[in-house]
Every structure is written in C-alpha cells, then in structure tokens.
Amino acid sequence: RTHGIKLITYRSTLKEGDIVRVVGVMTTIQGERMIIRPEISVTSGKRITAPISFTNRALGGGPYGDYALGVTGGTGPNNIGLLVSTTGVVKSALSGVWPSVLIDDGSQVGVRVYLPPRSVLPRVGKMVLVTGISSFVVDRYGKRTRAVKTRRSTDVVYPLK
C-alpha cells in the first residue's frame, strides 16, 4: 500500500473490505486531495486491510508530487489516506459534534484524533492506541497538522495496558 484517497459520498452501500472501482472528479479541499461525486462499483470479494503502525512524528509524511502535500514540516513517505495506527498519551480532549483528543507519544509531536459522534472521550493523561485514516487539519495559521480520523468508537483502545 502506498496511497489512499478520500471519497465524498452520501449514499453508499459499501462495506469494509469491499474492493471497488471508482470514477469521479478529483478536487482539493483544505489541502487534501479527494474524489467527489464518485461512481463506485464493487469489483470483487473482501479484503480487510490491516493498519500500518507509525510514530506520531511519521504520521502524514512529506509531500509527494504536486498535490499530495503531507503535513507541514513532515518527512518520509506520504501516508495521508492510509489506514494507520499510533499510540500516545491524551494531552487534551474536546467534546462536541465531532469529539477529538490530542495525543503525544513522547516525540513532542501532537496528533489530533477525531472520534465518531457521541463517543466517550479518553481521559487526559491516559495512554491510548488509535486506528484510523491518516489525515491532517489546517490550523488558523495555514499549518497542516497531523490527524487520525477514526472509523468507529472501537478504533480507540483505552486504556492501553
């Protein structure tokens, strides 16, 4: 696996592990490449993809070509859009419509982890293992900061023992 891309679709019957063919319009929203208005067809059987483990610092990676930007100051392989896992201590938590926590694995590089709506937030100071899609968030200064977007509440294992 070397690449992944976000699909913006509202009425999908896709299931995890479906192997698909996608035709659509490529666009960039807030620096992230994605396909909008996709035509999706399932081409074959199931394949469940295991996440790739990264340190907090390696998440996002550097730029790849003209459009895959990576995170600001990122180095190494661009991994935006891939299923990843990482660990860290919860430094802060934000509730709301799209709850999130900020984690740090000791590298002094924070990763914002977005959880599904109505998720129970891990407590500050606890170690967590998270699985989700490697992404980034553009902050108010235009910096692309590391993020992981979880798929479901069980993507956060808390507390890690």
Side-chain angles (χ1 to χ4, degrees), residues 14-52:
L14 294 176
K15 296 174 194 67
E16 186 172 342
D18 283 347
I19 299 170
V20 299
R21 179 178 181 274
V22 178
V23 176
V25 177
M26 288 288 296
T27 190
T28 304
I29 298 176
Q30 293 187 329
E32 187 173 2
R33 295 294 283 169
M34 59 191 70
I35 298 174
I36 59 173
R37 298 189 302 273
E39 294 177 22
I40 305 169
S41 57
V42 177
T43 61
S44 63
K46 306 284 185 199
R47 179 176 30 177
I48 303 297
T49 302
I52 303 169

mmCIF file of all heavy atoms in Angstrom, residues 14-52:
data_model
loop_
_atom_site.group_PDB
_atom_site.id
_atom_site.type_symbol
_atom_site.label_atom_id
_atom_site.label_comp_id
_atom_site.label_asym_id
_atom_site.label_seq_id
_atom_site.Cartn_x
_atom_site.Cartn_y
_atom_site.Cartn_z
ATOM 1 N N LEU A 14 -21.325 0.605 0.542
ATOM 2 C CA LEU A 14 -20.040 -0.081 0.675
ATOM 3 C C LEU A 14 -19.867 -0.630 2.078
ATOM 4 O O LEU A 14 -20.326 -0.045 3.057
ATOM 5 C CB LEU A 14 -18.890 0.868 0.363
ATOM 6 C CG LEU A 14 -18.801 1.373 -1.062
ATOM 7 C CD1 LEU A 14 -17.673 2.387 -1.192
ATOM 8 C CD2 LEU A 14 -18.600 0.220 -2.029
ATOM 9 N N LYS A 15 -19.146 -1.734 2.141
ATOM 10 C CA LYS A 15 -18.810 -2.345 3.422
ATOM 11 C C LYS A 15 -17.290 -2.416 3.537
ATOM 12 O O LYS A 15 -16.594 -2.489 2.526
ATOM 13 C CB LYS A 15 -19.417 -3.744 3.509
ATOM 14 C CG LYS A 15 -20.937 -3.753 3.482
ATOM 15 C CD LYS A 15 -21.462 -5.180 3.428
ATOM 16 C CE LYS A 15 -22.912 -5.206 3.066
ATOM 17 N NZ LYS A 15 -23.204 -4.756 1.719
ATOM 18 N N GLU A 16 -16.812 -2.410 4.759
ATOM 19 C CA GLU A 16 -15.372 -2.524 4.980
ATOM 20 C C GLU A 16 -14.854 -3.781 4.290
ATOM 21 O O GLU A 16 -15.428 -4.856 4.429
ATOM 22 C CB GLU A 16 -15.082 -2.583 6.478
ATOM 23 C CG GLU A 16 -13.604 -2.560 6.785
ATOM 24 C CD GLU A 16 -13.318 -2.430 8.255
ATOM 25 O OE1 GLU A 16 -14.210 -2.014 9.016
ATOM 26 O OE2 GLU A 16 -12.195 -2.759 8.650
ATOM 27 N N GLY A 17 -13.774 -3.630 3.529
ATOM 28 C CA GLY A 17 -13.171 -4.749 2.822
ATOM 29 C C GLY A 17 -13.590 -4.866 1.373
ATOM 30 O O GLY A 17 -13.002 -5.636 0.623
ATOM 31 N N ASP A 18 -14.625 -4.107 0.933
ATOM 32 C CA ASP A 18 -15.017 -4.148 -0.474
ATOM 33 C C ASP A 18 -13.869 -3.651 -1.351
ATOM 34 O O ASP A 18 -13.191 -2.672 -1.016
ATOM 35 C CB ASP A 18 -16.238 -3.253 -0.735
ATOM 36 C CG ASP A 18 -17.542 -3.868 -0.278
ATOM 37 O OD1 ASP A 18 -17.556 -5.075 0.024
ATOM 38 O OD2 ASP A 18 -18.546 -3.135 -0.234
ATOM 39 N N ILE A 19 -13.644 -4.340 -2.459
ATOM 40 C CA ILE A 19 -12.674 -3.903 -3.454
ATOM 41 C C ILE A 19 -13.483 -3.221 -4.551
ATOM 42 O O ILE A 19 -14.411 -3.807 -5.104
ATOM 43 C CB ILE A 19 -11.862 -5.091 -3.995
ATOM 44 C CG1 ILE A 19 -11.102 -5.736 -2.830
ATOM 45 C CG2 ILE A 19 -10.916 -4.635 -5.101
ATOM 46 C CD1 ILE A 19 -10.452 -7.046 -3.170
ATOM 47 N N VAL A 20 -13.150 -1.962 -4.828
ATOM 48 C CA VAL A 20 -14.005 -1.139 -5.673
ATOM 49 C C VAL A 20 -13.264 -0.520 -6.855
ATOM 50 O O VAL A 20 -12.042 -0.410 -6.854
ATOM 51 C CB VAL A 20 -14.658 -0.010 -4.846
ATOM 52 C CG1 VAL A 20 -15.515 -0.572 -3.734
ATOM 53 C CG2 VAL A 20 -13.611 0.927 -4.263
ATOM 54 N N ARG A 21 -14.069 -0.102 -7.818
ATOM 55 C CA ARG A 21 -13.609 0.718 -8.943
ATOM 56 C C ARG A 21 -14.304 2.060 -8.761
ATOM 57 O O ARG A 21 -15.518 2.117 -8.531
ATOM 58 C CB ARG A 21 -14.018 0.093 -10.264
ATOM 59 C CG ARG A 21 -13.606 0.904 -11.468
ATOM 60 C CD ARG A 21 -14.015 0.167 -12.767
ATOM 61 N NE ARG A 21 -13.614 0.914 -13.925
ATOM 62 C CZ ARG A 21 -14.349 1.880 -14.476
ATOM 63 N NH1 ARG A 21 -15.524 2.196 -13.976
ATOM 64 N NH2 ARG A 21 -13.905 2.531 -15.536
ATOM 65 N N VAL A 22 -13.538 3.149 -8.853
ATOM 66 C CA VAL A 22 -14.083 4.478 -8.598
ATOM 67 C C VAL A 22 -13.770 5.394 -9.779
ATOM 68 O O VAL A 22 -12.640 5.445 -10.253
ATOM 69 C CB VAL A 22 -13.477 5.093 -7.314
ATOM 70 C CG1 VAL A 22 -14.005 6.498 -7.080
ATOM 71 C CG2 VAL A 22 -13.749 4.206 -6.110
ATOM 72 N N VAL A 23 -14.798 6.104 -10.234
ATOM 73 C CA VAL A 23 -14.645 7.144 -11.244
ATOM 74 C C VAL A 23 -15.318 8.380 -10.669
ATOM 75 O O VAL A 23 -16.441 8.299 -10.159
ATOM 76 C CB VAL A 23 -15.317 6.753 -12.579
ATOM 77 C CG1 VAL A 23 -15.217 7.893 -13.579
ATOM 78 C CG2 VAL A 23 -14.702 5.483 -13.134
ATOM 79 N N GLY A 24 -14.641 9.522 -10.725
ATOM 80 C CA GLY A 24 -15.225 10.728 -10.167
ATOM 81 C C GLY A 24 -14.388 11.934 -10.485
ATOM 82 O O GLY A 24 -13.489 11.885 -11.330
ATOM 83 N N VAL A 25 -14.660 13.013 -9.790
ATOM 84 C CA VAL A 25 -13.983 14.285 -10.009
ATOM 85 C C VAL A 25 -12.952 14.492 -8.904
ATOM 86 O O VAL A 25 -13.294 14.485 -7.716
ATOM 87 C CB VAL A 25 -15.008 15.445 -10.008
ATOM 88 C CG1 VAL A 25 -14.300 16.782 -10.170
ATOM 89 C CG2 VAL A 25 -16.042 15.234 -11.098
ATOM 90 N N MET A 26 -11.686 14.661 -9.295
ATOM 91 C CA MET A 26 -10.618 14.956 -8.329
ATOM 92 C C MET A 26 -10.697 16.423 -7.939
ATOM 93 O O MET A 26 -10.895 17.285 -8.789
ATOM 94 C CB MET A 26 -9.240 14.695 -8.939
ATOM 95 C CG MET A 26 -8.909 13.249 -9.133
ATOM 96 S SD MET A 26 -8.592 12.386 -7.591
ATOM 97 C CE MET A 26 -7.151 13.225 -7.005
ATOM 98 N N THR A 27 -10.541 16.673 -6.643
ATOM 99 C CA THR A 27 -10.519 18.042 -6.168
ATOM 100 C C THR A 27 -9.628 18.120 -4.933
ATOM 101 O O THR A 27 -9.170 17.090 -4.417
ATOM 102 C CB THR A 27 -11.951 18.553 -5.849
ATOM 103 O OG1 THR A 27 -11.895 19.962 -5.621
ATOM 104 C CG2 THR A 27 -12.538 17.848 -4.640
ATOM 105 N N THR A 28 -9.386 19.310 -4.478
ATOM 106 C CA THR A 28 -8.633 19.544 -3.250
ATOM 107 C C THR A 28 -9.474 20.424 -2.344
ATOM 108 O O THR A 28 -9.934 21.490 -2.768
ATOM 109 C CB THR A 28 -7.282 20.232 -3.543
ATOM 110 O OG1 THR A 28 -6.552 19.433 -4.466
ATOM 111 C CG2 THR A 28 -6.473 20.432 -2.280
ATOM 112 N N ILE A 29 -9.698 19.970 -1.118
ATOM 113 C CA ILE A 29 -10.425 20.763 -0.130
ATOM 114 C C ILE A 29 -9.546 20.871 1.101
ATOM 115 O O ILE A 29 -9.124 19.856 1.654
ATOM 116 C CB ILE A 29 -11.789 20.124 0.212
ATOM 117 C CG1 ILE A 29 -12.671 20.075 -1.053
ATOM 118 C CG2 ILE A 29 -12.476 20.904 1.345
ATOM 119 C CD1 ILE A 29 -13.997 19.375 -0.862
ATOM 120 N N GLN A 30 -9.259 22.093 1.500
ATOM 121 C CA GLN A 30 -8.362 22.382 2.625
ATOM 122 C C GLN A 30 -7.054 21.611 2.505
ATOM 123 O O GLN A 30 -6.543 21.064 3.472
ATOM 124 C CB GLN A 30 -9.050 22.104 3.952
ATOM 125 C CG GLN A 30 -10.190 23.048 4.238
ATOM 126 C CD GLN A 30 -10.753 22.883 5.624
ATOM 127 O OE1 GLN A 30 -10.747 21.786 6.191
ATOM 128 N NE2 GLN A 30 -11.233 23.964 6.197
ATOM 129 N N GLY A 31 -6.515 21.532 1.298
ATOM 130 C CA GLY A 31 -5.220 20.918 1.066
ATOM 131 C C GLY A 31 -5.239 19.420 0.884
ATOM 132 O O GLY A 31 -4.211 18.824 0.562
ATOM 133 N N GLU A 32 -6.388 18.758 1.091
ATOM 134 C CA GLU A 32 -6.448 17.298 0.978
ATOM 135 C C GLU A 32 -7.101 16.896 -0.342
ATOM 136 O O GLU A 32 -8.186 17.364 -0.676
ATOM 137 C CB GLU A 32 -7.225 16.696 2.151
ATOM 138 C CG GLU A 32 -7.176 15.183 2.166
ATOM 139 C CD GLU A 32 -7.798 14.568 3.406
ATOM 140 O OE1 GLU A 32 -8.309 15.303 4.263
ATOM 141 O OE2 GLU A 32 -7.765 13.336 3.516
ATOM 142 N N ARG A 33 -6.428 16.010 -1.090
ATOM 143 C CA ARG A 33 -6.965 15.505 -2.349
ATOM 144 C C ARG A 33 -8.088 14.529 -2.061
ATOM 145 O O ARG A 33 -8.012 13.726 -1.123
ATOM 146 C CB ARG A 33 -5.874 14.800 -3.160
ATOM 147 C CG ARG A 33 -4.764 15.709 -3.610
ATOM 148 C CD ARG A 33 -5.232 16.745 -4.589
ATOM 149 N NE ARG A 33 -5.406 16.145 -5.910
ATOM 150 C CZ ARG A 33 -6.010 16.736 -6.932
ATOM 151 N NH1 ARG A 33 -6.504 17.941 -6.798
ATOM 152 N NH2 ARG A 33 -6.113 16.128 -8.084
ATOM 153 N N MET A 34 -9.137 14.594 -2.867
ATOM 154 C CA MET A 34 -10.273 13.697 -2.697
ATOM 155 C C MET A 34 -11.057 13.584 -3.988
ATOM 156 O O MET A 34 -10.848 14.363 -4.915
ATOM 157 C CB MET A 34 -11.168 14.171 -1.556
ATOM 158 C CG MET A 34 -11.721 15.560 -1.725
ATOM 159 S SD MET A 34 -12.500 16.177 -0.224
ATOM 160 C CE MET A 34 -11.092 16.410 0.862
ATOM 161 N N ILE A 35 -11.937 12.597 -4.016
ATOM 162 C CA ILE A 35 -12.806 12.390 -5.162
ATOM 163 C C ILE A 35 -14.224 12.734 -4.739
ATOM 164 O O ILE A 35 -14.737 12.202 -3.746
ATOM 165 C CB ILE A 35 -12.735 10.930 -5.662
ATOM 166 C CG1 ILE A 35 -11.308 10.615 -6.124
ATOM 167 C CG2 ILE A 35 -13.736 10.705 -6.800
ATOM 168 C CD1 ILE A 35 -11.088 9.165 -6.501
ATOM 169 N N ILE A 36 -14.852 13.630 -5.508
ATOM 170 C CA ILE A 36 -16.239 13.995 -5.233
ATOM 171 C C ILE A 36 -17.131 13.442 -6.342
ATOM 172 O O ILE A 36 -16.658 13.132 -7.433
ATOM 173 C CB ILE A 36 -16.420 15.526 -5.097
ATOM 174 C CG1 ILE A 36 -15.986 16.249 -6.375
ATOM 175 C CG2 ILE A 36 -15.641 16.051 -3.892
ATOM 176 C CD1 ILE A 36 -16.297 17.737 -6.379
ATOM 177 N N ARG A 37 -18.410 13.311 -6.050
ATOM 178 C CA ARG A 37 -19.397 12.762 -6.992
ATOM 179 C C ARG A 37 -18.907 11.453 -7.613
ATOM 180 O O ARG A 37 -18.945 11.279 -8.835
ATOM 181 C CB ARG A 37 -19.745 13.780 -8.066
ATOM 182 C CG ARG A 37 -20.393 15.048 -7.513
ATOM 183 C CD ARG A 37 -20.928 15.963 -8.566
ATOM 184 N NE ARG A 37 -19.989 16.438 -9.548
ATOM 185 C CZ ARG A 37 -19.214 17.515 -9.413
ATOM 186 N NH1 ARG A 37 -19.276 18.229 -8.312
ATOM 187 N NH2 ARG A 37 -18.402 17.882 -10.365
ATOM 188 N N PRO A 38 -18.449 10.504 -6.779
ATOM 189 C CA PRO A 38 -17.897 9.261 -7.333
ATOM 190 C C PRO A 38 -18.973 8.304 -7.832
ATOM 191 O O PRO A 38 -20.081 8.262 -7.299
ATOM 192 C CB PRO A 38 -17.155 8.645 -6.146
ATOM 193 C CG PRO A 38 -17.941 9.102 -4.961
ATOM 194 C CD PRO A 38 -18.410 10.508 -5.310
ATOM 195 N N GLU A 39 -18.622 7.574 -8.872
ATOM 196 C CA GLU A 39 -19.395 6.413 -9.302
ATOM 197 C C GLU A 39 -18.594 5.216 -8.811
ATOM 198 O O GLU A 39 -17.447 5.036 -9.202
ATOM 199 C CB GLU A 39 -19.543 6.384 -10.816
ATOM 200 C CG GLU A 39 -20.362 7.534 -11.370
ATOM 201 C CD GLU A 39 -20.420 7.512 -12.892
ATOM 202 O OE1 GLU A 39 -20.212 6.433 -13.488
ATOM 203 O OE2 GLU A 39 -20.665 8.574 -13.465
ATOM 204 N N ILE A 40 -19.193 4.432 -7.936
ATOM 205 C CA ILE A 40 -18.476 3.351 -7.269
ATOM 206 C C ILE A 40 -19.121 2.023 -7.615
ATOM 207 O O ILE A 40 -20.340 1.882 -7.532
ATOM 208 C CB ILE A 40 -18.500 3.544 -5.734
ATOM 209 C CG1 ILE A 40 -17.948 4.922 -5.362
ATOM 210 C CG2 ILE A 40 -17.723 2.437 -5.040
ATOM 211 C CD1 ILE A 40 -18.171 5.304 -3.925
ATOM 212 N N SER A 41 -18.286 1.064 -7.992
ATOM 213 C CA SER A 41 -18.797 -0.293 -8.207
ATOM 214 C C SER A 41 -17.877 -1.273 -7.496
ATOM 215 O O SER A 41 -16.653 -1.138 -7.519
ATOM 216 C CB SER A 41 -18.887 -0.617 -9.703
ATOM 217 O OG SER A 41 -17.638 -0.458 -10.321
ATOM 218 N N VAL A 42 -18.492 -2.255 -6.847
ATOM 219 C CA VAL A 42 -17.726 -3.301 -6.173
ATOM 220 C C VAL A 42 -17.253 -4.273 -7.242
ATOM 221 O O VAL A 42 -18.040 -4.742 -8.053
ATOM 222 C CB VAL A 42 -18.577 -4.022 -5.111
ATOM 223 C CG1 VAL A 42 -17.815 -5.159 -4.467
ATOM 224 C CG2 VAL A 42 -19.053 -3.023 -4.051
ATOM 225 N N THR A 43 -15.938 -4.557 -7.258
ATOM 226 C CA THR A 43 -15.364 -5.385 -8.326
ATOM 227 C C THR A 43 -15.109 -6.825 -7.927
ATOM 228 O O THR A 43 -15.073 -7.695 -8.788
ATOM 229 C CB THR A 43 -14.046 -4.785 -8.839
ATOM 230 O OG1 THR A 43 -13.115 -4.738 -7.753
ATOM 231 C CG2 THR A 43 -14.271 -3.392 -9.406
ATOM 232 N N SER A 44 -14.863 -7.066 -6.643
ATOM 233 C CA SER A 44 -14.575 -8.444 -6.238
ATOM 234 C C SER A 44 -14.771 -8.605 -4.737
ATOM 235 O O SER A 44 -15.267 -7.703 -4.074
ATOM 236 C CB SER A 44 -13.153 -8.839 -6.655
ATOM 237 O OG SER A 44 -12.205 -8.041 -5.992
ATOM 238 N N GLY A 45 -14.298 -9.748 -4.240
ATOM 239 C CA GLY A 45 -14.508 -10.149 -2.854
ATOM 240 C C GLY A 45 -13.900 -9.222 -1.839
ATOM 241 O O GLY A 45 -13.431 -8.139 -2.144
ATOM 242 N N LYS A 46 -13.895 -9.704 -0.612
ATOM 243 C CA LYS A 46 -13.458 -8.911 0.531
ATOM 244 C C LYS A 46 -11.957 -9.013 0.768
ATOM 245 O O LYS A 46 -11.350 -10.045 0.552
ATOM 246 C CB LYS A 46 -14.165 -9.383 1.800
ATOM 247 C CG LYS A 46 -15.656 -9.408 1.685
ATOM 248 C CD LYS A 46 -16.205 -8.033 1.760
ATOM 249 C CE LYS A 46 -17.722 -8.079 1.765
ATOM 250 N NZ LYS A 46 -18.328 -6.859 1.418
ATOM 251 N N ARG A 47 -11.394 -7.909 1.203
ATOM 252 C CA ARG A 47 -10.015 -7.898 1.671
ATOM 253 C C ARG A 47 -9.935 -6.877 2.801
ATOM 254 O O ARG A 47 -10.086 -5.688 2.577
ATOM 255 C CB ARG A 47 -9.055 -7.501 0.558
ATOM 256 C CG ARG A 47 -7.626 -7.457 1.059
ATOM 257 C CD ARG A 47 -6.601 -7.171 0.009
ATOM 258 N NE ARG A 47 -7.115 -6.353 -1.067
ATOM 259 C CZ ARG A 47 -6.387 -5.934 -2.073
ATOM 260 N NH1 ARG A 47 -5.129 -6.248 -2.143
ATOM 261 N NH2 ARG A 47 -6.908 -5.183 -3.028
ATOM 262 N N ILE A 48 -9.759 -7.369 3.996
ATOM 263 C CA ILE A 48 -9.635 -6.480 5.149
ATOM 264 C C ILE A 48 -8.170 -6.076 5.270
ATOM 265 O O ILE A 48 -7.275 -6.916 5.328
ATOM 266 C CB ILE A 48 -10.117 -7.163 6.445
ATOM 267 C CG1 ILE A 48 -11.564 -7.638 6.293
ATOM 268 C CG2 ILE A 48 -9.963 -6.235 7.637
ATOM 269 C CD1 ILE A 48 -12.577 -6.543 6.064
ATOM 270 N N THR A 49 -7.939 -4.786 5.266
ATOM 271 C CA THR A 49 -6.593 -4.236 5.307
ATOM 272 C C THR A 49 -6.194 -3.956 6.745
ATOM 273 O O THR A 49 -6.936 -3.295 7.474
ATOM 274 C CB THR A 49 -6.538 -2.938 4.485
ATOM 275 O OG1 THR A 49 -6.937 -3.225 3.145
ATOM 276 C CG2 THR A 49 -5.153 -2.344 4.479
ATOM 277 N N ALA A 50 -5.046 -4.439 7.149
ATOM 278 C CA ALA A 50 -4.528 -4.155 8.492
ATOM 279 C C ALA A 50 -3.902 -2.759 8.491
ATOM 280 O O ALA A 50 -3.331 -2.321 7.495
ATOM 281 C CB ALA A 50 -3.484 -5.197 8.883
ATOM 282 N N PRO A 51 -3.995 -2.053 9.611
ATOM 283 C CA PRO A 51 -3.371 -0.727 9.677
ATOM 284 C C PRO A 51 -1.854 -0.823 9.697
ATOM 285 O O PRO A 51 -1.287 -1.825 10.128
ATOM 286 C CB PRO A 51 -3.898 -0.153 10.995
ATOM 287 C CG PRO A 51 -4.245 -1.345 11.817
ATOM 288 C CD PRO A 51 -4.670 -2.411 10.846
ATOM 289 N N ILE A 52 -1.215 0.230 9.217
ATOM 290 C CA ILE A 52 0.244 0.352 9.273
ATOM 291 C C ILE A 52 0.565 1.192 10.509
ATOM 292 O O ILE A 52 -0.018 2.262 10.705
ATOM 293 C CB ILE A 52 0.795 1.036 8.014
ATOM 294 C CG1 ILE A 52 0.382 0.268 6.758
ATOM 295 C CG2 ILE A 52 2.312 1.169 8.094
ATOM 296 C CD1 ILE A 52 0.667 1.006 5.466
#
